[in-house]
Every structure is written in structure tokens, then in C-alpha cells.
Amino acid sequence: MTDVDYNFTGKVAFVTGATSGIGRATALAFARAGARVVVADINADGIEETARRIEQNGGTALPIRCDVTDEDDVRAALDQTIQTFGRLDVAFNNAGIEQPVAPLADISVDDWDRILAVDLRGVFLCMKHQIPLMSEHGGSIVNTSSGAGVKGFRGQSAYAAAKHGIIGLTKSAALDYAATGIRINAICPGIIDTEMMDRFSGGTPEGRQQVIDQEPIGRMGTPDEIAGTVLWLCSDPAAFIIGHALVVDGGQTT
Ligand code: NAI
């Protein structure tokens, strides 16, 4: 895919879930567009690999191990961002985990707590500590929701609750800060070809075809297609977009 020529030179982008799939593609895309990129993830080996790929392409990366469910980790990661780069302009709160397919009564309380902790609490904690760092000069935040943030999916009630929650969180926070120059939006990807989708589909040709069958476009989306949309949402041409949940899904939820 060819990049649109965005210019984030001088900006600092903080990306969570940056060692895999959508997050890694977006971290690399921000770096190609000139941003210095904080690569934040719970996966300690993965952050080094994403940072290595950024630096191999001539970019600047700061890998930080961070569990987004842990407030101390999130605060420390953002402190380190400011200590290293002096500012924060863009945040992509994207870390997430999937739900084992199960009807509601079969979801264990542990699974519910784990999914809500990573997928919803993590986004809250990140925004809570990012927003004050943007208050002087403004900034842009994009949170990763899902098609499961705009419609129900059988067997996915915990995941869908978290992803619907992200949209409520995003819209309300967007109103809190609209007048301050901080834009907050969400993105709702469809079926994207990542490690998460491989785990979900089983990664077999039949499993992959079953999820592709949900896609009117007839294929999965690529992580780069989501990355491109995130960069656009964070760019100046999107300056009037506030509190929007942008569906990028090949028609899946249409
Ligand atoms: P992935 O599994 O490939 O990547 C998820 C990343 O989040 C990994 O790098 C993982 O280490 C990180 N992570 C997990 N728990 C964490 C924690 N507690 N703290 C910090 N990092 C943590 O998944 P993928 O597909 O790239 O998904 C990214 C986001 O997009 C997720 O929020 C997911 O729910 C969402 N999404 C994905 C879709 C898809 O079809 N792949 C569709 C719609 C939404």
C-alpha cells in the first residue's frame, strides 16, 4: 500500500498494542510520517522488534513495556514519554484482547473482568493520563473500538460491551475537551488480518473463509488500511472531526 503523504514531523505519537497487527502497522506508519513514536505494549520482546523496524527505516522510537490495565504502568510510560521527547501530540489507544466465543451465561466472571480491564479500563486509564499532557498545545486521540462497538455479535457480549463502552467514553470525553484543541475519536475496524483474527478464526483456510463471509467486500482488511485511517483522523485535514466513531469495515456492519 502507498502511504498518503502526511507530515507528523516534530510530533510525538503514543501507540498501545504496538507489537502486533493494527498497532504495529500504525506505529510504523506514524514513524514513516515523521513522528517520534512511543511503542507501548505488554509484550516486552515485541516492543523491541517494533522499535527496531522503525529505526531501521530511519525513524525514532521509544519502546516501553506497559500493561494498560495498570494505572502505575500507564502513568510511568507517559512520564517517560515526556522525559524523553518533551511532549505528547497523538495517542492511539489500541491495545485489546478478544473474547472466547460463548453465550453470555457461559462467560466466566474472570473472562468478563479481564476483557473489560484491557479493552475498556485500559482506554480510560490511557486517556486520563494523556489528556493533561496535551492541554497546553492540543492533540489528537484515537481509540480502537470495533464493529462490535456498533452492533451485537453472537457469542461476543463481553467484548461488545467493552467496545460499545469505548464509543460512549470517546464521545463524552470528546465533548469535555472539544474547546481545548484536543480531538478525541474512535475507529471501528471490521475483520482485519492480524494475529488476533488468526486466533479468533483458528487460522485455517476454512476458519478464515468463515470470517471473510461476513465481509461484503469479500476479503479481510489489512492493518495498513486501519493505520492509514488513524493517521488521517489525527491529521490537520480532519480538524473538524470530534467524537466520531469511524467504521472502517468493508461493509461488514452496513
Ligand atoms: P493483536 O492481538 O494482533 O494485537 C493486540 C496488541 O495488544 C498486542 O500487541 C498485545 O500484546 C497488546 N496487548 C494485549 N493486552 C495488553 C495490555 N494489557 N497492555 C498493553 N498491551 C496489550 O490484535 P489486533 O487485531 O491488532 O487488534 C488491535 C485492536 O483492534 C484491539 O483493540 C482489537 O480489539 C481491535 N479490533 C481488531 C479487529 C480485527 O479484526 N483484528 C476488528 C475490530 C477491532
Side-chain angles (χ1 to χ4, degrees):
M1 196 182 80
T2 313
D3 280 341
V4 178
D5 203 7
Y6 294 112
N7 187 355
F8 286 90
T9 305
K11 307 276 189 200
V12 175
F14 184 96
V15 179
T16 73
T19 74
S20 179
I22 293 169
R24 175 172 276 166
T26 306
L28 290 166
F30 272 122
R32 285 195 300 273
R36 289 165 288 170
V37 179
V38 181
V39 176
D41 202 288
I42 199 168
N43 175 344
D45 293 335
I47 55 175
E48 300 297 339
E49 174 58 17
T50 301
R52 190 191 65 74
R53 292 190 199 185
I54 287 174
E55 280 160 7
Q56 196 176 40
N57 290 337
T60 304
L62 174 64
I64 303 180
R65 192 202 164 275
C66 172
D67 176 351
V68 296
T69 69
D70 181 332
E71 183 174 18
D72 289 342
D73 265 21
V74 170
R75 195 189 286 111
L78 288 159
D79 283 351
Q80 204 181 330
T81 300
I82 298 300
Q83 279 159 20
T84 308
F85 294 138
R87 57 187 293 126
L88 177 68
D89 302 279
V90 166
F92 182 40
N93 298 320
N94 163 79
I97 55 173
E98 68 276 21
Q99 180 196 330
V101 176
L104 186 143
D106 295 349
I107 298 172
S108 71
V109 174
D110 281 352
D111 274 352
W112 168 269
D113 288 344
R114 196 172 51 86
I115 291 158
L116 270 286
V118 180
D119 291 0
L120 187 55
R121 174 186 160 95
V123 175
F124 163 72
L125 287 178
C126 286
M127 284 207 288
K128 177 173 169 58
H129 293 286
Q130 290 159 350
I131 286 167
L133 306 179
M134 296 177 173
S135 59
E136 278 183 19
H137 49 72
S140 179
I141 298 176
V142 175
N143 300 319
T144 304
S145 176
S146 167
V150 297
K151 75 180 277 291
F153 283 87
R154 197 176 302 151
Q156 289 294 297
S157 43
Y159 183 76
K163 294 299 188 180
H164 275 69
I166 287 174
I167 294 181
L169 189 66
T170 298
K171 289 186 172 184
S172 300
L175 294 175
D176 290 341
Y177 297 99
T180 73
I182 302 174
R183 295 188 303 106
I184 306 176
N185 292 289
I187 192 161
C188 304
I191 306 277
I192 310 300
D193 199 355
T194 67
E195 289 177 24
M196 177 186 283
M197 189 44 66
D198 261 355
R199 290 190 298 271
F200 186 80
S201 69
T204 60
E206 304 74 38
R208 288 173 63 83
Q209 190 56 50
Q210 266 176 16
V211 292
I212 289 171
D213 287 345
Q214 293 180 30
E215 280 288 4
I217 196 171
R219 65 170 175 85
M220 295 194 199
T222 67
D224 280 339
E225 287 174 315
I226 303 302
T229 312
V230 174
L231 264 69
W232 173 73
L233 268 177
C234 293
S235 70
D236 290 343
F240 206 53
I241 302 180
I242 300 267
H244 188 61
L246 182 55
V247 171
V248 186
D249 76 346
Q252 183 195 20
T253 60
T254 300

